[in-house]
Amino acid sequence: MKVLIQSPLEPDFVQDPYALYARVLAEDPVQYWEDYGMMAVFDAATVHALLRDRRLGRAVPEDQRTPVPDHLHRFDAVERHSMLDLEPPTHTRLRGLVLRAFTSRRVKALAPDIDEICTDLLNRFPDAPFDLIPAFCTALPVRVIARLLGVPEEMSDQLLQWSNTMVAMYQANRTHQTEVAADQAAAEFSAFMASYIEKRRADPRDDLITHLIAAEEDGEKLSHPEMIGTCILLLNAGHEATVHTLGNAVKALLEHETPARALAPDAITATVEEALRFDPPLHMFTRYAYEDLEVGGYRLEKGKQVALMLGAAGRDPARFNAPDLFDPFRDAAPHAAFGGGLHFCVGAPLARLELQMGLQRLFAHAPHLKLVEMPTYSNAYHFHGLTHLQVMA
């Protein structure tokens, strides 16, 4: 097996990981990534297959579990109830409860809220150059998820601060200071959610928290810690990826001088899927092997981790013609931006609705939107999103 040496913190890689992906795909799509100490899989066929392979999972094997450091106990109290890192039967129960409350009807019912929030944000655009990331790409998803959960929208800035601090734990540039800050954020976020859940018990509303409470009271055994962990996960995951995708999509549309017809009602769905393929928000998702198996002709031993390279899979020439070309009119082919299998993103329908409506409203409001400086990506691998997006409306 080839050995890949590539720091995820190296500036050129941060700005353009696709050059490395292309080289690996041309050599051997399964390599040992020394910087991560694990096998990494880059080609679309194998990534999609492993996402659905029940011999792999997210939960840490029992014999690899280690004591939680003192400075991360409060963060761990939240994460141990995260669907993201659980397997059946616990994962099945939690996901079922969330899907019971997070119905397609509820997602569709958010369309007027998304439209209203877009109107408010667009009307605040200045006449001078400005950064679209905080002005639109960040503000829209967090306000939408706040409305879905039923938490006060005016707390958006605080919710973002907690969320960003916790999500930093999954970035390659994580430090001890990152961990301490994440633990504090988890404690504050948990205390807020615990208090707010009790408010919803006393004053039920038509929101996700109330429906999760109802599911718990119907004997589905959703514990109070599980409710807190689930709500925090939904808010963290519910905005982080959408923020990155909105910014990356706008960048791609502008840099490729995409025609307006790509945003028409009969084309917007394909345009959003192409944006997710072309420059997805999450580039790596790891799994543990629960038994020995063969991956691309190589042996993956039980207990070892494997990195599924979602960002590379979307640029695989074996699945996509001219993969480095942003083409919203290309023939559709499945991408891996939302994962797959048991851990397929539960919020995918909402993310797609936000992206479709957000891009349509943005370019209808600012049809001559243009970049005023070169966008740069944040040093936050394995996430892939812009630090800023300076534009002129």
Side-chain angles (χ1 to χ4, degrees), residues 70-79 180 182-184 186-187 190:
D70 289 342
H71 69 284
L72 282 175
H73 271 290
R74 297 177 297 181
F75 180 84
D76 178 72
V78 174
E79 292 298 291
V180 172
D183 192 68
Q184 180 63 34
S190 296

Side-chain angles (χ1 to χ4, degrees), residues 1 74 94 140 163 180 232 235 258 277 301 312 335 337 340 373:
M1 184 186 307
R74 297 177 297 181
L94 287 178
L140 175 60
S163 180
V180 172
I232 290 177
L235 197 142
T258 308
R277 175 203 74 82
E301 296 180 353
H335 59 71
E373 65 178 60

Side-chain angles (χ1 to χ4, degrees), residues 121-137 250 254 362 365-366 368-373 387-393:
L121 297 174
L122 295 170
N123 287 339
R124 299 184 187 189
F125 282 6
D127 293 330
F130 67 102
D131 188 350
L132 191 70
I133 298 299
F136 189 75
C137 301
V250 172
L254 294 178
L362 172 64
H365 176 83
H368 303 296
L369 192 72
K370 63 180 181 179
L371 296 171
V372 296
E373 65 178 60
T387 55
H388 66 275
L389 186 60
Q390 290 293 127
V391 296
M392 180 73 183

Side-chain angles (χ1 to χ4, degrees), residues 101-102 106 145-152 192-201 203-216 222 224 227-228 230-232 234-235:
F102 201 6
R106 182 169 301 283
I145 201 71
R147 290 196 186 187
L148 172 69
L149 287 171
V151 301
F192 166 74
M193 289 308 310
S195 172
Y196 207 78
I197 288 167
E198 292 311 308
K199 288 182 181 179
R200 280 293 166 263
R201 288 188 194 277
D203 182 20
R205 304 283 179 88
D206 186 19
D207 56 39
L208 193 61
I209 291 177
T210 299
H211 284 270
L212 287 173
I213 291 170
E216 177 191 19
L222 183 66
H224 193 59
M227 286 190 63
I228 293 172
T230 297
C231 289
I232 290 177
L234 289 173
L235 197 142

Side-chain angles (χ1 to χ4, degrees), residues 1 12 81 85 112 162 223 246 252-254 295 297-298 382 390:
M1 184 186 307
D12 287 343
H81 300 294
D85 295 319
W162 284 330
S223 70
L246 265 176
L253 287 163
L254 294 178
V295 176
Y298 302 104
H382 46 87
Q390 290 293 127

